[in-house]
Amino acid sequence: MIFAFFILERDPLQLSDLASALVTWSQNAGTYALLGILLVALSLRLRGARPIELGLRTFPLGIYAIFVSFALLAGLAVLYLLSAFGWSRIGAEVPYPETRNPQTVADYVFGLAGFFAVLAAVAPLFQVRFQRLAGRRVWAFAILSWKEAIRSKILWIFMLVAVIFLFLDWFVPYKPENQIRAYVQVLYWSVYAVFFATAGLLGSFSIPSDIQNLTIHTIVTKPVQKFEIVLGRILGYGMLLTVCLAGLTLLSLIYIWRGVTEEARKESLTARVVEYGDLAFLGTKARTEGVSVGNIFEYRSHISGPHPSDPPGKPIHYAVWAFRNELPGLDAARIQFQFTFDVFRLRTGKVDRGVYCNFWFVDGRHPEDKVESLVQAMQKEQASGRYKMEEDGYSPELARKFRIAVIPSFEVKDNHTQELEVPGKFFQMLRELERSEPRKDAAVTPFLRVFVSVDRNEANRDANNSQLIGMNRRDFFMLEGSNSFTLNFIKGMIGVWFSFMLVLILSVVLSTYLSGVISMLTTLVLIAGGLLLPFLTDLVENRVHGAQTRIDSGPAVSFYRLFTNTPLVATPDDTPGATLMRAVDNSFRFVLRKIMILIPDIDRYNLEVYVANGFDISWTQILLMDNLLPFAAYVLPWLLLAYYLINFREIANPT
């Protein structure tokens, strides 16, 4: 068994989400692009210039894009006005296959307006500046930045990691099921701390130091672009930190391979390739959630076992995983499933024993409400002795007749990754059935369902009495295979690379207009906001963390509850005062939502949870889709801002 508590609340970005993600990015980037354009136009107007004539003469593409953007926004306002009288379906959803974030007509119109606003902001770079940028000069600035960073001796901070290597054994227990996990966590967080500090210091004080020491005057008076300095700094410092990260990654792997015990290596040194299903519940109040145990961190929902006070006929609780598509690797003799469940005890019971659960593997064509009666009929025929049973208790004839495979009374232990092996014959039979009688709607009818319930047999009633089993979607999965732990560790370090490059780019961009100390503090505020992003998201979505439903929240309503001693979940009456409070809170959430656009989702690049718990990091879905694309979408507008800031700043410019 392997101790693995794999908590990942956010699903990685899927290919089907790209359309809605692109629309959202266009809206956010376009909002700030329009704001910047208006500020620049106002600044030029205050200086006596006529920005429209100047733009038509030098940047016609940008001016045309602005006109189109404002025309779309005006059309959007008209559509909203018509929708108030029922003459427009501006809020109708535009269907997109399998997307988790459906977009409305208004979203697409707003996104298109934002795209033209971004185009207007980028047009000057393409029309004038980009053709003057020289890669040779950028590379020269990068080499100069490399040498300056080495001479500054700031890299001595990396010696702190050596101290971690020397005393790591003090913090890591020698239990085989936990040793790899503890090693990985200590190493990753040490590397995070060192690289965040180094990237922030290098990026924040580079350009301000050049300005303070007047060394930048020698550069900008030459025929070079100011933006080349920014690109050179980012490239040079990025290369240096990348080389240091590669060295620390090699040392970390050597330490792990040298320090872990042989037993821990056999149990935990892996990278599982898994297939997840969709989780639903039966017999509980809601299909999307099980029983709440009062934990404020409601990551897992629970299903209950037998209780002495249960009324007769109380529905049995089931957790049901639906695997939509045909599972890979079904030709194997044994198909392996793994799970990690949380045992919540309402009474002590027999602590040395786990909770016994039943696992039913069911053809997805069976209606969910008929499965329980089918299993009971199957068990009666099995007890009759008319069917030949194999050594593992599997009967091919019974399985083919009912299209169900049952693993009864499996002992589930608290927070341990355990294995279930199901005969491959059962899945091969389902695959043959799929090919002979294809499902009519694969999106609705899954290929396989797995039912999990607490065993209620008399033999296990004493151990299962008043016990609950908690699970989340990723707590049960099919194991497709295992990849190299070493390669998975390197993939996790790529997530560290995205993190410190984001910090480096932010600090360099801010330093183009702010002093070194202010740039460093602003970067720290943005990174701290990224760590608090889940809380801010709950606040914007009018949701209290741990609550399954939305409630009235916000500063106005919170002050009202505080001074009137009103419970948290209580809703204010529909009075003019309550309406005013909700309006204030909605305005607050609108402003906060726009501010959150500037905050980086730094936790997205923390892939330590995959490596520490032995789950493979895919190149495409995680590193490309969920890391690289959001990274590029976030830093590109900041680089555009750096271009304008460095060019608007007066630094001994002869032109």
Side-chain angles (χ1 to χ4, degrees), residues 517-567:
V517 175
I518 301 302
S519 300
M520 186 69 177
L521 292 176
T522 307
T523 304
L524 287 176
V525 169
L526 289 173
I527 298 303
L531 298 177
L532 296 175
L533 202 58
F535 167 75
L536 297 177
T537 303
D538 288 337
L539 196 60
V540 166
E541 293 180 354
N542 204 13
R543 188 191 303 273
V544 176
H545 186 69
Q548 300 294 337
T549 57
R550 297 185 180 185
I551 62 175
D552 281 334
S553 63
V557 174
S558 298
F559 274 115
Y560 169 79
R561 291 194 179 106
L562 181 65
F563 287 109
T564 60
N565 198 22
T566 306

Side-chain angles (χ1 to χ4, degrees), residues 219-278:
I219 299 174
V220 297
T221 53
K222 302 297 186 295
V224 299
Q225 298 293 321
K226 294 179 182 178
F227 191 52
E228 293 173 346
I229 302 175
V230 177
L231 295 179
R233 290 297 188 187
I234 294 175
L235 179 61
Y237 294 149
M239 290 190 305
L240 182 61
L241 292 175
T242 302
V243 171
C244 294
L245 180 65
L248 287 179
T249 301
L250 179 61
L251 291 177
S252 300
L253 285 171
I254 293 175
Y255 192 89
I256 289 176
W257 282 100
R258 182 195 64 84
V260 299
T261 62
E262 187 64 28
E263 187 177 359
R265 185 171 302 171
K266 291 179 180 179
E267 292 190 356
S268 307
L269 215 61
T270 184
R272 303 182 191 88
V273 181
V274 301
E275 184 77 20
Y276 294 110
D278 297 325

Side-chain angles (χ1 to χ4, degrees), residues 160-172:
L160 294 175
V161 180
V163 178
I164 301 297
F165 286 130
L166 291 175
F167 301 101
L168 184 60
D169 290 339
W170 291 10
F171 309 102
V172 178

